[in-house]
Amino acid sequence: MSEESIESADNFPPTQDGYQRLWTPQRMVYVQGQDKPKDTSKKECPFCAAQKKTDEEGLIIWHGTHVFAIMNLYPYNVGHLMICPYRHVGMLVDLDDDELFEFEKATTLAITVMKEVSHPDGWNVGINQGEVAGAGVAGHLHQHVVPRWEGDSNFMPITAGTRTMPILLGKQRDDYAAGFEHLQGDFNLPSRN
Ligand SMILES: [Zn+2]
């Protein structure tokens, strides 16, 4: 291709059209996975590791018979917790009937505890299954329960997810733990210990 045939960049968009654009090439790092550790096989699963710690250290809120509740170290929003089976399995279909029932029942308990503790206006509840779907710990199933308040997205975008607030997390764990203990009877969910 001769130099003469190369068109001037001035002829390409964006031309001035009154719109502002956000140029975010750094997002491609997420899409292409450059920052991911190459070998995660030797790294212990954080949900299995937490079960070996004290509840305070592991930020575990509640122990059911088959599942437990734990704070999210990288919350989408203040008060974000997760429900996990004790077993290290990655998919909802891996759960047996007892686990599946308690997994969902504990989710309703978590929502009720949040209502009592922090009065959210709404919730995001859900599972990312598999790395491609956004699961941070794909090997160990976890249901996100994220309280939402009117206007909260103004200060904590759902995509941020990288701020750790250990002191706040400890206090929230304590408040939630008290709430789970207080309300678990209403949900016919016995605590394991
Ligand atoms: Zn695990």
Side-chain angles (χ1 to χ4, degrees):
M1 191 183 273
S2 71
E3 221 171 301
E4 289 76 33
S5 71
I6 298 174
E7 235 182 299
S8 161
D10 296 342
N11 297 329
F12 288 91
T15 53
Q16 291 299 319
D17 58 7
Y19 289 99
Q20 289 195 339
R21 291 182 175 80
L22 283 177
W23 171 237
T24 55
Q26 73 278 9
R27 289 180 63 86
M28 289 307 290
V29 172
Y30 284 102
V31 176
Q32 294 163 0
Q34 273 97 330
D35 279 356
K36 260 187 202 164
K38 289 286 176 267
D39 180 15
T40 53
S41 60
K42 291 183 193 75
K43 214 175 142 212
E44 192 180 13
C45 163
F47 299 129
C48 289
Q51 295 178 51
K52 297 170 191 160
K53 299 176 184 170
T54 66
D55 288 354
E56 287 76 13
E57 282 171 0
L59 292 172
I60 291 182
I61 299 158
W62 176 80
H63 298 266
T65 307
H66 307 285
V67 305
F68 64 101
I70 184 169
M71 299 300 301
N72 192 321
L73 266 177
Y74 305 99
Y76 297 163
N77 204 358
V78 175
H80 179 177
L81 67 74
M82 295 168 297
I83 305 295
C84 307
Y86 290 120
R87 287 198 301 132
H88 183 88
V89 292
M91 296 286 172
L92 205 51
V93 296
D94 296 327
L95 300 185
D96 66 28
D97 286 357
D98 290 340
E99 288 170 321
L100 195 56
F101 179 76
E102 200 183 72
F103 188 72
E104 289 301 335
K105 190 88 179 180
T107 301
T108 62
L109 170 56
I111 289 169
T112 308
V113 168
M114 286 177 178
K115 258 187 195 168
E116 189 175 271
V117 170
S118 52
H119 315 287
D121 300 312
W123 286 264
N124 292 112
V125 178
I127 306 166
N128 301 325
Q129 283 201 142
E131 275 180 41
V132 72
V137 184
H140 199 137
L141 184 69
H142 49 285
Q143 173 128 281
H144 297 276
V145 185
V146 185
R148 303 299 304 269
W149 292 268
E150 293 287 347
D152 62 10
S153 58
N154 294 342
F155 66 85
M156 178 71 84
I158 200 89
T159 48
T162 49
R163 283 186 26 188
T164 60
M165 297 171 281
I167 296 168
L168 189 54
L169 285 172
K171 168 78 169 80
Q172 283 169 345
R173 191 216 71 87
D174 295 347
D175 291 346
Y176 281 163
F180 269 77
E181 201 181 334
H182 168 57
L183 289 167
Q184 65 183 1
D186 296 352
F187 285 76
N188 206 16
L189 280 172
S191 177
R192 195 174 67 166
N193 45 356

